Amino acid sequence: MVDVLPLVEARLSSALGEPGARAAVTFLGTDRIEVLRFQEGDVVRYATLGMSAHPMTDPTAMLADPVKGPRAELVLSVRAGLAETDKVLRPLAVLAASPQVEGVVVAPGASLDVGEPLWPGAPFTSVLVGEPGGLVEDLELDEPMDAVRFLPLLPMTPNEAAWKRVHGAQALQERWLTNGTDLRDPSRRSVPLE
């Protein structure tokens, strides 16, 4: 069986440049998750590496397929120098480990909550999983393995997360767009939700 992580790291490096820093976190009973840090101008991007080592399994499935199933890594982009965003490494690793720990399938439109600020003083405790294919192209793997998708994470305030649960991901994204919300601002306020 092919080790997908070197291929994933090569795809991230070709799209975002060489990582300026990396950190690794291991949770009991899971594989190691790394978070790579890339800086481009005033934007810093954090990408997980390790989530795609195994396919995500539907929690209702009787047996986990070791080959087939969705694979993904997470990418968070924020403006540099405005907050202690480097402290997001552990929360990101927690989110990346959730398919192994909780048996969830992370997909676009999903909300992921860490239950605490993403970094010190952050107004966000959760993220909306965006659509892949923009910043980093999907990584096609040999059949029968599914492609690795690079899912952007969009930080949500608690009010936005609650509003999204009622109205849906599409409605929240339209609200952000209508209001010209800078989703990379690490200290932005909640979008008006009336």
Side-chain angles (χ1 to χ4, degrees):
M1 189 141 104
V2 66
D3 182 5
V4 303
L5 296 184
L7 303 174
V8 169
E9 185 168 358
R11 174 58 54 96
L12 285 167
S13 294
S14 69
L16 305 175
E18 286 302 311
R22 63 196 313 140
V25 180
T26 305
F27 302 100
L28 189 63
T30 66
D31 291 340
R32 179 171 124 144
I33 302 284
E34 287 189 87
V35 179
L36 310 182
R37 182 184 191 272
F38 302 88
Q39 180 134 9
E40 180 184 334
D42 70 338
V43 175
V44 62
R45 302 184 200 286
Y46 302 94
T48 62
L49 179 64
M51 182 177 170
S52 62
H54 306 285
M56 292 181 275
T57 304
D58 182 339
T60 61
M62 294 296 281
L63 288 173
D65 189 318
V67 178
K68 292 185 67 149
R71 294 174 189 259
E73 295 291 353
L74 308 175
V75 181
L76 173 70
S77 301
V78 291
R79 297 218 179 280
L82 303 176
E84 289 184 80
T85 56
D86 279 354
K87 305 275 176 144
V88 78
L89 302 179
R90 185 166 178 78
L92 264 184
V94 167
L95 296 178
S98 62
Q100 286 183 61
V101 175
E102 300 170 21
V104 297
V105 175
V106 177
S111 298
L112 303 175
D113 195 320
V114 294
E116 62 186 29
L118 292 176
W119 51 82
F124 319 107
T125 59
S126 62
V127 293
L128 174 66
V129 180
E131 291 291 332
L135 191 61
V136 184
E137 286 184 35
D138 292 355
L139 173 64
E140 297 297 330
L141 300 173
D142 293 336
E143 290 289 336
M145 293 191 287
D146 291 25
V148 176
R149 300 178 350 148
F150 297 89
L151 303 172
L153 300 180
L154 311 171
M156 292 189 293
T157 66
N159 286 345
E160 290 170 340
W163 198 85
K164 181 252 175 197
R165 280 192 294 277
V166 174
H167 300 280
Q170 185 66 39
L172 179 58
Q173 288 177 308
E174 286 170 10
R175 184 64 58 122
W176 282 335
L177 195 59
T178 302
N179 285 276
T181 305
D182 180 3
L183 296 174
R184 293 180 181 165
D185 180 349
S187 53
R188 72 171 179 84
R189 298 190 183 283
S190 183
V191 71
L193 298 170
E194 290 77 43

